[in-house]
């Protein structure tokens, strides 16, 4: 199994033109790649955790395998699934050799990243959505970069060790044994200065006075303790797009907050304004 990576320019990862990163985030990505360990990213929704994996894949020129976790997701599904329903249908209606079980084995995102002919990026997204045993169920496979298909006794080994990025919204604590195997980084919510750079990336032609007023209004909303669901970066970008499309000026924005429903998503929060 080839899990040794040769040095490349990616070890100097600096983000991309469309993804603004802090120096700390750039460093931790490079450390995780150098040490060949999963990178666990935490932060509130809307801080760019999922988008980071897309950016890393773009910087690598690598394929991204995205495994979005739900409350009902089982670790086995990321490795492979045995399509018993299809095999039953084939046995009833013909058209396939049902004795060849291998054709009914469908690799999941983890399995596909292991068998990729080139180094890939594996995103395990929102791991804290699953039950508490889910992370521990993946420890062996992520450590050894291999697993066995029980139905065929086939050993699936990583041809090229993928870059593993795991995101969490911190909805529940993850097991210590799992945390020990990861490089960890918490993405702080962007400062006004960094947010101004993000806005400039998404709306490069925005009037500067309008951009400043948008940020002032946005952070005032976020800093209001009565607002329970704080608006995120993506909501700010959408809101500014709506303001630009409607021709809202900075002076108008100083007096009122149009399209507040783009920023605030709870009735009780809207009631504050």
């Amino acid at each position: 199994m080839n899990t040794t990576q040769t040095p490349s320019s990616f070890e100097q990862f600096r983000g991309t033109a469309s993804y603004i990163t802090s120096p700390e985030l750039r460093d931790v990505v490079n450390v995780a790649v150098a040490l060949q360990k999963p990178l666990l990213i935490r932060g509130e929704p809307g801080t760019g955790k999922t988008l980071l994996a897309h950016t890393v894949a773009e910087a690598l020129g690598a394929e991204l395998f995205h495994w979005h976790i739900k409350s009902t997701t089982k670790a086995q599904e990321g490795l492979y699934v045995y399509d018993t329903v299809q095999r039953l249908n084939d046995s009833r209606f013909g058209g396939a050799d049902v004795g060849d079980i291998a054709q009914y084995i469908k690799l999941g995102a983890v399995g596909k990243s292991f068998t990729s002919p080139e180094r890939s990026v594996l995103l395990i997204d929102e791991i804290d959505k699953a039950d508490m045993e889910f992370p521990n169920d993946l420890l062996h496979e992520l450590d050894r970069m291999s697993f066995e298909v029980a139905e065929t006794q086939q050993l699936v080994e990583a041809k090229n060790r993928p870059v593993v990025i795991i995101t969490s919204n911190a909805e529940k604590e993850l097991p210590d044994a799992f945390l020990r195997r990861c490089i960890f980084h918490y993405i702080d919510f962007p400062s006004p200065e960094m947010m101004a750079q993000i806005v400039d990336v998404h709306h490069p032609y925005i009037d500067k006075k309008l951009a400043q007023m948008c940020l002032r209004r946005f952070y005032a909303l976020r800093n209001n303790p009565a607002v329970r669901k704080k608006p995120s970066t993506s909501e700010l970008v959408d809101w500014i797009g709506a303001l630009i499309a409607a021709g809202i000026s900075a002076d108008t924005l100083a007096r009122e907050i149009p399209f507040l429903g783009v920023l605030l998503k709870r009735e009780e929060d809207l009631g504050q304004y």
Side-chain angles (χ1 to χ4, degrees), residues 24-83:
E24 295 79 15
L25 181 56
R26 292 195 295 267
D27 288 345
V28 81
V29 168
N30 289 324
V31 167
V33 172
L35 297 182
Q36 299 184 356
K37 287 183 174 291
L39 173 59
L40 174 60
I41 298 290
R42 273 184 175 168
E44 66 176 87
T47 50
K49 301 183 297 297
T50 299
L51 189 56
L52 173 65
H54 290 264
T55 302
V56 171
E58 180 184 345
L60 267 175
E63 185 172 4
L64 174 69
F65 295 100
H66 188 168
W67 185 17
H68 186 77
I69 307 303
K70 298 182 289 187
S71 60
T72 56
T73 302
K74 302 301 180 184
Q76 174 69 33
E77 298 169 15
L79 307 179
Y80 72 94
V81 292
Y82 174 30
D83 194 345

Side-chain angles (χ1 to χ4, degrees), residues 17 21 35 39 62 77 96 106 108 141 146 162 165 171 180 185 193 197 206 240 258:
T21 61
L35 297 182
L39 173 59
E77 298 169 15
K106 312 297 183 184
E141 287 75 14
S146 66
I165 298 178
E171 293 188 3
R180 283 196 297 270
H185 182 74
E193 294 75 20
Q197 297 180 53
I206 187 174
I240 292 176

Side-chain angles (χ1 to χ4, degrees), residues 71-221:
S71 60
T72 56
T73 302
K74 302 301 180 184
Q76 174 69 33
E77 298 169 15
L79 307 179
Y80 72 94
V81 292
Y82 174 30
D83 194 345
T84 54
V85 174
Q86 183 62 54
R87 190 181 183 212
L88 176 61
N89 287 337
D90 288 346
S91 67
R92 293 175 61 190
F93 304 111
D97 178 10
V98 296
D100 181 13
I101 296 179
Q103 66 182 311
Y104 301 105
I105 301 299
K106 312 297 183 184
L107 293 178
V110 177
K112 289 177 180 177
S113 71
F114 284 7
T115 57
S116 175
E118 305 290 340
R119 181 169 64 167
S120 61
V121 175
L122 170 63
L123 170 60
I124 304 176
D125 205 8
E126 297 189 338
I127 193 172
D128 53 325
K129 295 286 188 185
D131 62 46
M132 284 298 296
E133 291 305 313
F134 179 90
N136 283 337
D137 290 342
L138 286 176
L139 286 180
H140 176 84
E141 287 75 14
L142 292 181
D143 270 349
R144 301 201 176 190
M145 285 286 148
S146 66
F147 63 89
E148 183 179 274
V149 177
E151 290 78 5
T152 63
Q153 287 76 55
Q154 175 194 4
L155 180 64
V156 177
E157 295 183 288
K159 297 179 179 179
N160 293 280
R161 191 180 190 99
V163 176
V164 181
I165 298 178
I166 304 168
T167 72
S168 168
N169 290 324
E171 293 188 3
K172 61 170 68 87
E173 287 299 317
L174 299 174
D176 288 344
F178 184 81
L179 294 175
R180 283 196 297 270
R181 289 164 168 81
C182 298
I183 304 297
F184 174 77
H185 182 74
Y186 184 88
I187 297 184
D188 291 316
F189 196 82
S191 66
E193 294 75 20
M194 179 174 285
M195 190 65 82
Q197 297 180 53
I198 294 172
V199 169
D200 187 60
V201 166
H202 290 277
H203 300 289
Y205 304 111
I206 187 174
D207 175 76
K208 299 304 179 186
K209 186 178 178 182
L210 175 60
Q212 292 171 1
M213 184 57 67
C214 287
L215 290 176
R216 186 182 306 172
R217 285 294 205 177
F218 175 74
Y219 279 98
L221 287 173

